[in-house]
């Protein structure tokens, strides 16, 4: 039975038990919502973008291969991303499920993930498609600021920090991602259209897709995401 808290909010059961995939264009709110959902279930938040940026920061061989590709706003080759993800989900913190943000981004990645999940004995994933129009995305991407310490996501137009340039949680410095410049946003959106948007039909055919209006407030989207996750867990 579904538990409800005092405020009528759906309270998740203890474990997520599977993968949740956030699908949507850059700026749709995948990172914002994936962080919230992962925290609600005590599951790891697996952002392939964050993982790649960490590789770049540490100057690893993967980071050196990915850096010029990411700075052009293109997708990193499947072979590199798949190896990184397969390695990450081997870690102990993933045994009760995990929340993907920015992965899969191609049909080949989705097919490989499907096999990986079967090999690890997970049920079919829950796919949350954050639906949003292009004009809103520009505002979200150019206004995005991220805490250098804890990764908290802000927006100078819609979700500003209390003190300009500083994170509300830990006082960390807020920075703008290099690929959130107008020149790089265009190729990123075009990569989404060409390479990632076919995943909407792919997951719809598999009956795994939950569409959510991502233009609504963070709290409204959060509630919809939680309801979709709870209903998918009851039915599959
Ligand atoms: P993505 O991971 O899909 O690229 P983010 O979660 O980083 O997107 O969000 C992009 C920007 O939009 C950030 O500045 C974030 O604060 C803001 N944002 C996210 N969700 C909402 C929302 N529902 N309403 C207003 N702004 C939002
Ligand atoms: P994100 O943080 O999700 O916006 O991703 C930033 C960049 O990292 C993207 O523009 C790609 O260059 C790269 N990237 C992240 N995830 C993937 C993926 N699953 N496949 C290919 N490239 C990725």
């Amino acid at each position: 039975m579904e538990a409800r808290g005092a405020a009528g909010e759906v309270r998740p059961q203890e474990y997520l038990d599977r993968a949740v995939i956030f699908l949507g264009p850059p700026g749709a709110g995948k990172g914002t919502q994936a962080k919230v959902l992962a925290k609600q279930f005590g599951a790891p938040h697996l952002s392939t973008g964050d993982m790649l940026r960490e590789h770049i920061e540490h100057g690893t061989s993967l980071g050196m291969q990915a850096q010029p590709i990411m700075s052009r706003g293109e997708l990193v080759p499947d072979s590199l991303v798949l190896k990184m993800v397969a390695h990450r989900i081997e870690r102990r913190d993933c045994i009760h499920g995990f929340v993907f943000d920015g992965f899969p981004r191609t049909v080949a990645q989705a097919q490989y993930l499907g096999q990986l999940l079967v090999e690890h004995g997970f049920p079919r994933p829950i796919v949350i498609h954050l639906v949003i129009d292009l004009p809103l995305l520009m505002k979200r991407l150019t206004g995005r600021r991220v805490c250098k310490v804890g990764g908290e996501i802000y927006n100078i137009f819609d979700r500003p920090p209390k003190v300009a340039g500083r994170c509300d949680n830990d006082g960390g410095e807020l920075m703008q991602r290099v690929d959130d410049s107008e020149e790089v946003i265009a190729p990123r959106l075009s990569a989404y259209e060409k390479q990632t948007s076919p995943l909407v039909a792919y997951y719809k055919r598999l009956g795994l897709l939950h569409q959510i209006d991502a233009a609504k407030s963070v709290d409204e989207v959060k509630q919809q995401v939680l309801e979709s996750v709870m209903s998918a867990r009851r039915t599959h």
Side-chain angles (χ1 to χ4, degrees), residues 72-112:
R72 290 196 300 270
E74 295 165 11
L75 293 190
V76 173
D78 289 340
S79 56
L80 299 179
V81 174
L82 291 174
K83 208 165 138 197
M84 180 179 79
V85 169
H87 187 67
R88 178 64 184 85
I89 70 170
E90 291 291 334
R91 282 189 19 205
R92 255 193 88 71
D93 63 343
C94 287
I95 55 175
H96 296 303
F98 33 88
V99 181
F100 278 124
D101 153 17
F103 178 86
R105 254 175 156 107
T106 63
V107 172
Q109 290 182 13
Q111 286 167 338
Y112 180 81

Side-chain angles (χ1 to χ4, degrees), residues 25-32 140 144 153-155 159 216-218:
K30 301 183 297 297
T32 302
R140 288 198 177 178
R144 173 161 56 189
I153 306 167
Y154 295 88
N155 192 285
R159 298 170 51 74
K216 296 225 166 96
S217 73
V218 169

